[in-house]
Structure formats: structure tokens, C-alpha cells
């Protein structure tokens, strides 16, 4: 579980007018949906939220401190302004420390594979896996070293090392990363510039087709008295 702590305050009022006032003052209106079903309306400092949550994923559990009361929660939704990208509203979902959660965890690849150094191309078809575990065991992301990955080899979900207490939900046969070579294309031989043309009358190569416009050798005229 991460060490991200967000400071928040209760919202005294609800409604769009109050939300606009909070945003105008540099804040973000938000809601924590509690594990008991109760929703708590709060407000956060926008600059503090952006700084504290930089680089976290949907599977990261953050601690939200609301005037002395603490909540462990996922950041499940951030509504943004389509024009300037500023955050308009945030939804948090509280988690119970004693209840197993299911979440998708992102995969970060590290290292320069052997196969790539030999001329291959790296592909990364799967960027997250789904797991089940207690909140305290849930990783914010999975760092995977692929330095030893050779050409025409691949890493699967089953190859990802997971800590004890974490149950894999994703298909273990899914490919996470692979290095493969592009198929070599046959290159036709092209005569070098200035190369001498074949001598007149020289026999053509087997199967060669006469060039367009080439003169055909005239057939010998029949001898006198020979029937045509």
C-alpha cells in the first residue's frame, strides 16, 4: 500500500454553485463512498492533490485525512474539464483493511532486452494484470526487468513474480512482452552503374525473356528449288 496522504476538509454545502466556488478558490470537490454505503462530501486543495498523486494508478490505495478522520481509498474517478483539462470532481472508494479487494495493477517494463540489442523489436501487448489480495498487500504497480529477454522469446503473466498473499486473476498464458525479428525480405540483385552490357549474340541465360523491342534473328531464306 502506498504512503500517499491527502489532506481534505468536509463540505458544509452541496450543489453546483458550491462546487464552482471551491474550484474558483483553488480546490477540488470530491466524494468518498464509504464501505458502509455512506457518502462523505469533501474538498481538497488542487495543487496538493496533483503533486501527491503524480504517478499513481487506479490500484493505488491512498489515505485521505478529513479533519482528523482517516480513510483508505482508491481514486476511482476524476472528472476533467474537456477544454483545459483541469479536474472538476473526484470519486474515492473506501476499502476495508480486512477485506480482500480485486484490482488491476499496471506493469512497468525496465531494462534493454538482449534480443533488442541484437536487432529485434520489443512488443508489450499487455500492460496490466488483475489480482486479488488484502489492501495492505496490493502493489501500486509491478516493475518487471526484461534485460535478459532474448530474440524470439516472450514473458507471460505466469512469469511475473508476485508476493505472498496476492492471487492472480488474469490468464497466466497471456503474453506481457516479447522480442521478435522482422522477416528478412529477399533483395533482388541490381547491376552496378556502368557495368558492361552482354556482347551481341551471346546466349541468353536459361529462362531469360528478350527485352522489349529486341530484334529477332531472321530465319534463313530457303535455297533455290526448295519447296516453300
Amino acid at each position: 500500500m502506498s504512503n500517499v496522504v491527502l489532506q481534505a476538509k468536509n463540505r458544509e454545502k452541496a450543489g453546483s454553485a458550491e462546487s464552482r466556488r471551491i474550484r474558483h478558490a483553488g480546490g477540488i470537490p470530491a466524494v468518498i463512498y464509504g464501505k458502509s454505503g455512506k457518502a462523505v462530501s469533501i474538498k481538497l486543495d488542487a495543487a496538493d492533490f496533483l503533486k501527491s498523486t503524480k504517478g499513481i494508478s487506479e490500484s493505488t490505495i491512498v489515505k485521505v485525512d478529513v479533519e482528523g478522520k482517516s480513510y483508505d481509498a482508491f481514486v476511482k474517478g476524476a472528472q476533467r474539464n474537456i477544454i483545459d483539462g483541469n479536474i472538476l470532481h473526484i470519486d474515492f472508494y473506501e476499502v476495508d483493511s480486512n477485506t480482500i479487494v480485486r484490482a488491476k495493477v499496471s506493469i512497468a517494463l525496465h531494462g534493454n532486452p538482449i534480443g533488442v540489442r541484437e536487432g529485434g523489436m520489443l512488443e508489450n501487448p499487455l500492460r496490466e494484470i488483475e489480482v486479488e489480495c488484502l489492501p495492505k498487500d496490493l502493489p501500486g504497480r509491478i516493475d518487471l526487468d526484461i534485460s535478459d529477454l532474448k530474440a524470439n522469446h516472450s514473458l507471460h503473466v505466469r512469469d511475473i513474480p508476485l508476493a505472498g498473499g496476492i492471487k492472480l486473476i488474469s490468464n497466466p498464458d497471456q503474453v506481457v512482452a516479447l522480442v521478435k525479428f522482422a522477416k528478412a525480405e529477399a533483395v533482388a540483385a541490381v547491376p552496378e552503374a556502368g557495368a558492361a552490357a552482354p556482347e551481341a549474340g551471346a546466349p541468353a541465360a536459361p529462362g531469360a525473356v528478350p527485352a522489349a523491342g529486341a530484334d529477332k534473328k531472321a530465319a534463313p531464306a530457303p535455297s533455290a528449288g526448295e519447296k516453300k
Side-chain angles (χ1 to χ4, degrees):
M1 195 158 57
S2 75
N3 296 318
V4 176
V5 179
L6 302 173
Q7 299 298 324
K9 293 183 178 180
N10 287 301
R11 274 194 280 167
E12 296 81 12
K13 300 178 182 179
S16 56
E18 177 65 9
S19 294
R20 285 195 297 269
R21 188 193 67 77
I22 292 172
R23 288 191 286 266
H24 183 72
I28 304 174
V31 172
I32 300 176
Y33 293 96
K35 55 193 176 185
S36 61
K38 181 181 178 181
V40 180
S41 296
I42 62 172
K43 55 185 177 182
L44 306 140
D45 180 77
D48 177 63
F49 176 82
L50 293 173
K51 180 181 178 181
S52 299
T53 59
K54 185 177 181 180
I56 72 169
S57 67
E58 190 176 306
S59 64
T60 303
I61 297 176
V62 302
K63 190 176 292 293
V64 186
D65 189 303
V66 186
E67 299 182 27
K69 185 170 183 179
S70 182
Y71 299 86
D72 289 329
F74 290 119
V75 181
K76 278 298 184 183
Q79 181 185 352
R80 292 181 178 270
N81 187 309
I82 60 174
I83 298 175
D84 56 23
N86 290 330
I87 299 177
L88 301 176
H89 188 274
I90 299 169
D91 287 337
F92 294 93
Y93 281 79
E94 185 184 12
V95 297
D96 186 343
S97 60
N98 297 314
T99 301
I100 290 177
V101 297
R102 178 178 291 193
K104 291 182 178 179
V105 182
S106 61
I107 302 170
L109 302 182
H110 299 280
N112 186 15
I114 293 174
V116 171
R117 299 198 298 270
E118 294 175 345
M121 296 181 62
L122 174 66
E123 294 187 4
N124 179 203
L126 188 67
R127 298 178 184 274
E128 63 181 15
I129 60 172
E130 190 172 19
V131 299
E132 275 188 353
C133 60
L134 289 172
K136 67 180 181 63
D137 297 323
L138 184 64
R141 73 176 185 185
I142 294 173
D143 294 301
L144 191 59
D145 186 0
I146 57 172
S147 301
D148 294 332
L149 189 59
K150 298 179 181 179
N152 297 322
H153 285 69
S154 58
L155 286 176
H156 298 79
V157 169
R158 60 176 176 269
D159 301 319
I160 298 176
L162 296 175
I166 300 178
K167 179 183 177 182
L168 179 66
I169 301 300
S170 296
N171 184 344
D173 295 327
Q174 287 181 286
V175 175
V176 176
L178 71 154
V179 176
K180 63 181 183 180
F181 279 106
K183 291 182 178 179
E185 295 182 358
V187 180
V190 179
E192 294 183 4
E199 295 181 4
V209 179
D215 293 336
K216 295 182 179 179
K217 191 174 181 181
S223 58
E226 184 179 356
K227 293 184 179 180
K228 294 183 179 179

